[in-house]
Amino acid sequence: MAQVAITAERLDLEALTTELVREARGDGAVATFTGLVRDHNQGRNVCFLEYEAYEPLAVRALHRIVDEARATWPDVRLGLHHRIGRLEIGEASIVIVAVSPHRSDAFAACRYAIERVKQIVPIWKREHFEGGDVWLEGATADPDDENARQAAQRIACA
Amino acid sequence: MAQVAITAERLDLEALTTELVREARGDGAVATFTGLVRDHNQGRNVCFLEYEAYEPLAVRALHRIVDEARATWPDVRLGLHHRIGRLEIGEASIVIVAVSPHRSDAFAACRYAIERVKQIVPIWKREHFEGGDVWLEGATADPDDENARQAAQRIACA
Amino acid sequence: MRVTIRLFARLRDLAGAAELVREVPDHATVQTVWNALKSEMPSLVEYERTMSVAVNAEYSRMGAAVHEGDEVAFLPPVSGG
Amino acid sequence: MRVTIRLFARLRDLAGAAELVREVPDHATVQTVWNALKSEMPSLVEYERTMSVAVNAEYSRMGAAVHEGDEVAFLPPVSGG
């Protein structure tokens, strides 16, 4: 199982974790994050979401996040899988796993990773709600924006 | 599956998560923490660990942590399972799951919970290492120590 | 020379196409490609200040040179996670 | 009156018993119970400043009253997680 992936398949947090902790005899901490599709957003009743990615660039952006995290937390091993296509309410759109000797780094790297995903990974979601649909738009992706990167690092509470 | 538990059985993060996210149609974030037995500690080669609990008080202390977290993060649902007995290298001693509408609260409550477990839950581990064994001792448990609680809350980065 | 233009999410909806092939002058930059595209499809201009660009699936800049056969992508603000 | 004393982890090892039943005077407190115990087993005294106490599986204080049949626990610093 690849450390990073963009996939139309159902995500499997447990399999990704198993892969990362294999022979992790020196690691004492695993922090994970899972993003789920919610049934409402900004006052709208959501029916389902549709995720689209610029796949080759999205995979590179995920690898970039892994590299950035390694530079800050050298002992952390990070896995990130993002799903695309149609997702129903309650399904997982993203799973992130951080394995580390100590919990502090595992939590920080995991949190950092989800913040960076929202900043620089070329994925878009179209929300299908009762009465219409709308493309959600967040951050202008710029991996070289050091202010954004530092904001993610502050939020990570390292 | 109970929200909190002290058990000699192998822990099941996925089952606990499934239980907590059932009908979680308004929740978009799941943060988890798993503690694993490491093969070394303070320069010693660890063979295995043995966990002991004062079970009725430990269960109450876990419930207390759930209540404290609810007071700070009312939208978070928290699950904590701690294993006791003999644990081999790489096995999970604790799993914590925090489910929330938003990721910030999920991360904070999850981190808060593990810090509080280490402060106030009457569980002890005996480390069996190459050449002997030793009881590890951390914090003097005092649930009414507000300084300790606030320290946990600061670390949670709420 | 010929380049392939890739459009995503709402930019794709506005253009009515995910992929376009266009002739651009030699020594063109990403900016040249964009200028031609927005002349052709004025509704895209609202993304001019918020979009990102990529060349051959690497993030790039408006001033970057493009070459024969390059894939030039225009990306609305992202919303993954 | 009679109380049950519970000891855990290294306190248990030092005492050589997880559970003891002892007679204590009426109107005893947790402190009374502890004082009797450390007289009997002086090696336990090293935990006097770091231990926690519980009565009937609720955290308590040295000054708390104990009653006939209570379970009084002495807990070394914890190390769960």
Side-chain angles (χ1 to χ4, degrees):
Chain A
M1 177 168 279
Q3 191 173 6
V4 308
I6 305 290
T7 174
E9 305 292 311
R10 202 176 154 279
L11 301 179
D12 188 339
L13 178 69
E14 196 175 25
L16 179 57
T17 304
T18 302
E19 175 80 16
L20 288 171
V21 304
R22 201 147 37 109
E23 300 174 29
R25 300 172 61 86
D27 290 321
V30 183
T32 78
F33 176 76
T34 303
L36 303 175
V37 177
R38 298 194 300 152
D39 66 358
H40 63 275
N41 184 42
Q42 297 172 33
R44 299 183 293 264
N45 290 321
V46 177
C47 305
F48 65 93
L49 295 184
E50 209 187 327
Y51 280 87
E52 171 180 329
Y54 185 16
E55 284 195 46
L57 181 54
V59 168
R60 281 181 173 149
L62 292 177
H63 277 295
R64 183 187 175 109
I65 294 168
V66 169
D67 292 345
E68 287 177 355
R70 186 180 299 127
T72 306
W73 302 281
D75 294 334
V76 175
R77 281 199 310 293
L78 199 60
L80 297 100
H81 287 193
H82 201 302
R83 189 166 163 194
I84 54 174
R86 176 176 166 146
L87 272 77
E88 309 300 330
I89 306 301
E91 289 193 301
S93 54
I94 187 167
V95 294
I96 301 176
V97 179
V99 180
S100 170
H102 300 289
R103 68 187 179 282
S104 203
D105 289 354
F107 274 107
C110 188
R111 183 74 201 267
Y112 177 82
I114 180 61
E115 299 305 318
R116 287 297 271 165
V117 164
K118 287 171 177 286
Q119 290 178 348
I120 68 165
V121 179
I123 297 180
W124 301 268
K125 61 183 154 221
R126 190 206 293 253
E127 181 186 297
H128 294 259
F129 57 89
E130 286 176 11
D133 61 79
V134 61
W135 282 105
L136 302 180
E137 296 180 351
T140 295
D142 180 1
D144 297 327
D145 179 348
E146 184 58 18
N147 288 333
R149 205 195 64 73
Q150 284 174 10
Q153 196 152 333
R154 276 194 304 276
I155 290 171
C157 191
Chain B
M1 176 168 280
Q3 193 173 6
V4 308
I6 305 288
T7 174
E9 305 292 309
R10 200 175 155 279
L11 301 179
D12 189 339
L13 177 69
E14 197 175 23
L16 180 57
T17 304
T18 301
E19 175 80 15
L20 288 171
V21 303
R22 203 148 36 109
E23 299 174 30
R25 300 172 61 85
D27 290 322
V30 183
T32 78
F33 176 76
T34 303
L36 304 175
V37 177
R38 298 194 300 151
D39 66 357
H40 63 274
N41 184 40
Q42 297 173 33
R44 299 183 293 265
N45 291 321
V46 177
C47 306
F48 64 93
L49 295 183
E50 210 187 327
Y51 280 87
E52 171 179 328
Y54 185 18
E55 284 196 45
L57 182 53
V59 168
R60 281 180 173 149
L62 292 178
H63 278 295
R64 183 187 176 111
I65 293 169
V66 169
D67 292 344
E68 288 177 355
R70 188 179 298 125
T72 306
W73 302 281
D75 294 334
V76 174
R77 283 199 309 293
L78 200 60
L80 298 99
H81 286 193
H82 201 303
R83 190 166 163 195
I84 54 174
R86 175 175 167 146
L87 273 77
E88 309 299 330
I89 306 300
E91 288 193 302
S93 54
I94 186 166
V95 294
I96 301 175
V97 179
V99 180
S100 171
H102 300 288
R103 68 186 180 283
S104 205
D105 289 354
F107 273 107
C110 188
R111 183 72 201 269
Y112 178 82
I114 179 63
E115 299 305 318
R116 287 298 271 165
V117 165
K118 288 172 177 284
Q119 289 178 348
I120 67 166
V121 180
I123 297 180
W124 301 269
K125 61 184 154 220
R126 190 206 294 255
E127 181 185 299
H128 295 259
F129 58 88
E130 286 176 11
D133 61 80
V134 61
W135 283 105
L136 301 180
E137 296 179 351
T140 296
D142 180 1
D144 297 326
D145 178 350
E146 186 56 20
N147 288 332
R149 205 196 63 75
Q150 285 176 8
Q153 196 152 332
R154 276 194 304 278
I155 289 170
C157 192
Chain C
M1 62 184 183
R2 240 162 224 265
V3 297
T4 301
I5 297 169
R6 298 284 306 270
L7 298 165
F8 292 89
R10 192 160 163 265
L11 263 176
R12 172 169 52 71
D13 287 357
L14 288 172
E19 195 170 316
L20 300 162
V21 177
R22 290 292 180 271
E23 282 288 333
V24 295
D26 288 351
H27 309 296
T29 62
V30 174
Q31 184 76 58
T32 320
V33 178
W34 172 252
N35 289 347
L37 189 67
K38 77 175 175 185
S39 300
E40 187 183 342
M41 302 170 173
S43 69
L44 304 192
V45 75
E46 69 171 281
Y47 281 97
E48 198 159 60
R49 293 175 178 282
T50 57
M51 69 187 182
S52 305
V53 299
V55 175
N56 298 330
E58 295 272 21
Y59 279 115
S60 187
R61 298 284 172 190
M62 291 302 267
V66 299
H67 303 93
E68 168 70 27
D70 277 357
E71 176 174 295
V72 180
F74 298 104
L75 314 172
V78 299
S79 55
Chain D
M1 63 184 183
R2 240 160 225 267
V3 298
T4 301
I5 297 169
R6 299 283 306 270
L7 298 165
F8 292 89
R10 192 159 161 266
L11 264 176
R12 172 169 51 71
D13 287 357
L14 288 172
E19 195 170 316
L20 300 163
V21 177
R22 290 289 181 273
E23 282 287 334
V24 294
D26 287 351
H27 309 296
T29 62
V30 175
Q31 184 77 58
T32 320
V33 178
W34 172 252
N35 289 346
L37 189 67
K38 77 175 175 186
S39 301
E40 186 182 342
M41 302 170 174
S43 68
L44 304 192
V45 76
E46 68 171 281
Y47 281 96
E48 198 158 57
R49 294 174 177 282
T50 58
M51 70 188 182
S52 306
V53 299
V55 176
N56 298 331
E58 295 271 21
Y59 279 115
S60 188
R61 299 282 173 192
M62 291 301 268
V66 300
H67 304 93
E68 168 71 26
D70 277 358
E71 175 174 295
V72 180
F74 298 103
L75 314 172
V78 300
S79 55

